[in-house]
């Protein structure tokens, strides 16, 4: 059984502002901002909020960027202000460790997304088992889910369930899916998972489909939805929670959230925090269309300017090569190869 209360909620909303939103902020969210956002989420009745470096546990690195503060400082700041919400984090095996997960637990984290590529669930058994041993609400998080078939994804989800995951997520990391893609994958998971294993959906808005996809997931049997207030997240952002809650209320789906508080929070807290407008623009739309990992956006824009190559061209090539999370270093290699193929010299 999950440790998260479902009372009064037919849909459990999990906010990503303080983890996925770190990508949009180049990992530069302060502890003061963390506390402000977390308190507002808590006041609005959001059940779960994810807190960490954008890459999760072990994310601080040259490849992924360095945050202003440690995860421990972020967890402590958030833990001091929340009263009803549960704090979660992200663990990608090979980046984060079980020792770091134990540290997270000691700082008040009680839920975790154990995240793998959609064909690599077999990298997660030890980490899922560790989370369960700690008594955490434990999710198997299958990233870039459009790169696996519904049947293949179901097999991966069944593996995660066998390791101890209480929820299995379809993660549309690229914002590539259409509603029928989501329905086919949720249905395939529902057909093989135990009745008490929940299904979640994490969408990105790169083609403007995140709310439609999240609703499609619910209608097919998902009970957990990730999003972020104001859509603060990688690429064109996550499913904007305030809009999603409004749609849920129109549909009679109980979220336990206060819609007007979420609307005010987006306007008064989140939008002023944004360094750039998180929206569907030329680059983020290209990511969704080409099926590119959402966290590549700012990297591709920066490297495109560095070498004088349109970021759209780089993103399309990354999509053709089916690059996945963890291959951020290949963005610059790809740009250099494109320069060579175009007969251009690299400026020194």
């Amino acid at each position: 059984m999950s440790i998260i209360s479902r009372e009064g909620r037919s849909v459990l909303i999990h906010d990503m502002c303080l983890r996925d939103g770190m990508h949009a902020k180049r990992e530069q969210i302060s502890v003061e901002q963390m506390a402000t956002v977390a308190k507002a989420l808590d006041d609005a009745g959001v059940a779960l909020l994810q807190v960490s470096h954008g890459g999760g546990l072990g994310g601080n690195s040259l490849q992924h960027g360095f945050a202003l503060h440690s995860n421990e400082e972020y967890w402590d700041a958030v833990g001091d202000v929340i009263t009803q919400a549960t704090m979660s984090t992200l663990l990608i095996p090979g980046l984060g460790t079980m020792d770091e997960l134990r540290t997270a637990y000691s700082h008040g984290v009680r839920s975790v997304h154990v995240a793998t590529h959609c064909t690599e669930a077999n990298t997660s058994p030890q980490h899922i088992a560790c989370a369960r041993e700690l008594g955490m609400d434990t999710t198997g998080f299958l990233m870039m889910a459009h790169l696996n078939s519904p049947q293949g994804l179901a097999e991966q989800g069944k593996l995660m369930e066998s390791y101890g995951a209480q929820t299995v997520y379809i993660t549309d990391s690229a914002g590539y899916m259409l509603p029928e893609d989501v329905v086919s994958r949720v249905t395939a998971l529902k057909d093989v998972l135990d009745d008490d294993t929940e299904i979640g959906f994490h969408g990105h808005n790169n083609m403007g489909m995140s709310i439609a996809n999240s609703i499609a997931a619910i209608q097919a049997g998902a009970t957990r939805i990730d999003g972020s207030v104001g859509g603060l997240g990688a690429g064109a952002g996550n499913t904007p929670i305030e809009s999603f809650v409004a749609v849920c209320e129109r549909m009679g789906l109980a979220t336990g959230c206060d819609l007007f508080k979420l609307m005010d929070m987006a306007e008064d807290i989140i939008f002023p925090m944004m360094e750039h407008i998180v929206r569907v623009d030329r680059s983020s739309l290209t990511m969704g269309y080409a099926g590119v990992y959402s966290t590549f956006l700012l990297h591709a824009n920066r490297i495109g300017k560095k070498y004088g190559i349109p970021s759209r061209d780089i993103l399309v090539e990354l999509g053709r090569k089916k690059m996945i999370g963890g291959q951020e270093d290949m963005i610059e290699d790809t740009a250099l190869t494109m320069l060579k193929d175009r007969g251009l010299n690299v400026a020194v």
Side-chain angles (χ1 to χ4, degrees), residues 25-138:
K25 288 281 293 178
R26 298 177 295 108
E27 314 300 333
Q28 303 300 291
I29 296 180
S30 68
V31 290
E32 293 80 14
Q33 288 172 318
M34 283 269 178
T36 298
V37 171
K39 186 176 188 306
L41 289 168
D42 190 72
D43 289 345
V46 176
L48 283 152
L49 49 141
Q50 195 155 94
V51 180
S52 76
H53 183 284
L57 305 184
N60 266 322
S61 64
L62 284 172
Q63 181 153 318
H64 297 281
F66 292 93
L68 285 176
H69 306 276
S70 68
N71 282 334
E72 290 85 347
E73 290 173 297
Y74 288 137
W75 296 325
D76 290 345
V78 169
D80 283 344
V81 299
I82 58 176
T83 60
Q84 62 81 32
T86 297
M87 188 162 39
S88 78
T89 196
L90 177 79
L91 192 164
I92 301 174
L95 187 61
T97 67
M98 289 180 283
D99 280 345
E100 287 171 312
L101 185 60
R102 295 183 186 100
T103 298
Y105 185 87
S106 73
H107 285 265
V109 176
R110 294 294 180 266
S111 179
V112 62
H113 282 346
V114 180
T116 76
H117 184 59
C118 62
T119 60
E120 297 176 358
N122 62 358
T123 63
S124 67
Q126 292 175 307
H127 302 81
I128 289 175
C130 179
R132 289 302 305 276
E133 287 168 9
L134 289 167
M136 300 180 80
D137 171 67
T138 306

Side-chain angles (χ1 to χ4, degrees), residues 1 12 27 31 79 116 134 148 154 159 196 200 203 234 262 283 287 326 343:
M1 294 292 292
L12 198 67
E27 314 300 333
V31 290
T116 76
L134 289 167
N148 203 346
L159 281 177
D196 57 355
L262 291 172
S283 293
M287 293 172 69

Side-chain angles (χ1 to χ4, degrees), residues 7-15 40-48 84 225 229 241-242 244-246 248-249 253-263:
E7 185 177 356
R9 306 176 194 267
S10 55
V11 179
L12 198 67
I13 290 181
H14 195 160
D15 184 86
L41 289 168
D42 190 72
D43 289 345
V46 176
L48 283 152
Q84 62 81 32
I225 298 294
V229 174
I241 285 179
E242 68 282 6
F244 176 71
V245 168
C248 285
E249 291 203 4
L253 297 169
T255 65
C257 297
D258 186 312
L259 172 60
F260 289 169
K261 285 185 178 180
L262 291 172
M263 292 166 64

Side-chain angles (χ1 to χ4, degrees), residues 11-322:
V11 179
L12 198 67
I13 290 181
H14 195 160
D15 184 86
M16 300 284 120
C17 277
L18 301 179
R19 199 279 301 167
D20 217 317
M22 288 281 274
H23 293 302
K25 288 281 293 178
R26 298 177 295 108
E27 314 300 333
Q28 303 300 291
I29 296 180
S30 68
V31 290
E32 293 80 14
Q33 288 172 318
M34 283 269 178
T36 298
V37 171
K39 186 176 188 306
L41 289 168
D42 190 72
D43 289 345
V46 176
L48 283 152
L49 49 141
Q50 195 155 94
V51 180
S52 76
H53 183 284
L57 305 184
N60 266 322
S61 64
L62 284 172
Q63 181 153 318
H64 297 281
F66 292 93
L68 285 176
H69 306 276
S70 68
N71 282 334
E72 290 85 347
E73 290 173 297
Y74 288 137
W75 296 325
D76 290 345
V78 169
D80 283 344
V81 299
I82 58 176
T83 60
Q84 62 81 32
T86 297
M87 188 162 39
S88 78
T89 196
L90 177 79
L91 192 164
I92 301 174
L95 187 61
T97 67
M98 289 180 283
D99 280 345
E100 287 171 312
L101 185 60
R102 295 183 186 100
T103 298
Y105 185 87
S106 73
H107 285 265
V109 176
R110 294 294 180 266
S111 179
V112 62
H113 282 346
V114 180
T116 76
H117 184 59
C118 62
T119 60
E120 297 176 358
N122 62 358
T123 63
S124 67
Q126 292 175 307
H127 302 81
I128 289 175
C130 179
R132 289 302 305 276
E133 287 168 9
L134 289 167
M136 300 180 80
D137 171 67
T138 306
T139 293
F141 197 70
L142 292 164
M143 299 186 292
M144 295 291 280
H146 73 280
L147 292 177
N148 203 346
S149 68
Q151 293 71 31
L153 203 68
E155 292 171 4
Q156 296 293 303
K158 191 64 179 176
L159 281 177
M160 285 181 153
E161 181 189 64
S162 74
Y163 305 148
Q166 298 154 295
T167 304
V168 177
Y169 261 80
I170 294 162
T171 307
D172 186 16
S173 314
Y176 178 85
M177 290 185 183
L178 301 176
E180 55 264 36
D181 301 320
V182 176
V183 168
S184 64
R185 285 161 175 78
V186 172
T187 301
L189 276 176
K190 196 168 179 61
D191 285 345
V192 301
L193 297 178
D194 294 343
D195 290 343
D196 57 355
T197 300
E198 291 194 75
I199 297 172
F201 179 74
H202 176 109
H204 281 263
N205 202 39
N206 296 333
M207 291 207 301
M209 298 300 296
S210 64
I211 292 176
N213 285 343
S214 296
I215 293 298
I218 292 169
Q219 292 177 327
T223 54
R224 296 196 183 204
I225 298 294
D226 287 3
S228 57
V229 174
L232 184 64
N238 300 95
T239 302
I241 285 179
E242 68 282 6
S243 300
F244 176 71
V245 168
V247 172
C248 285
E249 291 203 4
R250 290 286 308 278
M251 295 179 68
L253 297 169
T255 65
C257 297
D258 186 312
L259 172 60
F260 289 169
K261 285 185 178 180
L262 291 172
M263 292 166 64
D264 291 345
M265 177 186 173
E267 199 75 22
D268 300 335
I269 299 174
I270 299 300
F271 294 148
M273 279 178 58
M274 292 182 178
E275 295 180 1
H276 66 279
I277 301 173
V278 176
R279 64 182 177 90
V280 179
D281 60 12
R282 178 168 51 196
S283 293
S284 60
L285 180 56
T286 300
M287 293 172 69
Y289 177 76
V292 177
Y293 197 63
S294 289
T295 61
F296 287 3
L297 178 64
L298 298 186
H299 297 287
N301 285 343
R302 172 177 54 81
I303 289 167
K305 289 178 181 178
K306 180 177 179 179
Y307 294 113
I309 301 175
S311 59
R312 178 167 57 193
D313 293 0
I314 297 172
L315 290 166
V316 168
E317 182 64 9
L318 293 170
R320 187 186 69 80
K321 291 181 174 181
K322 293 183 169 55

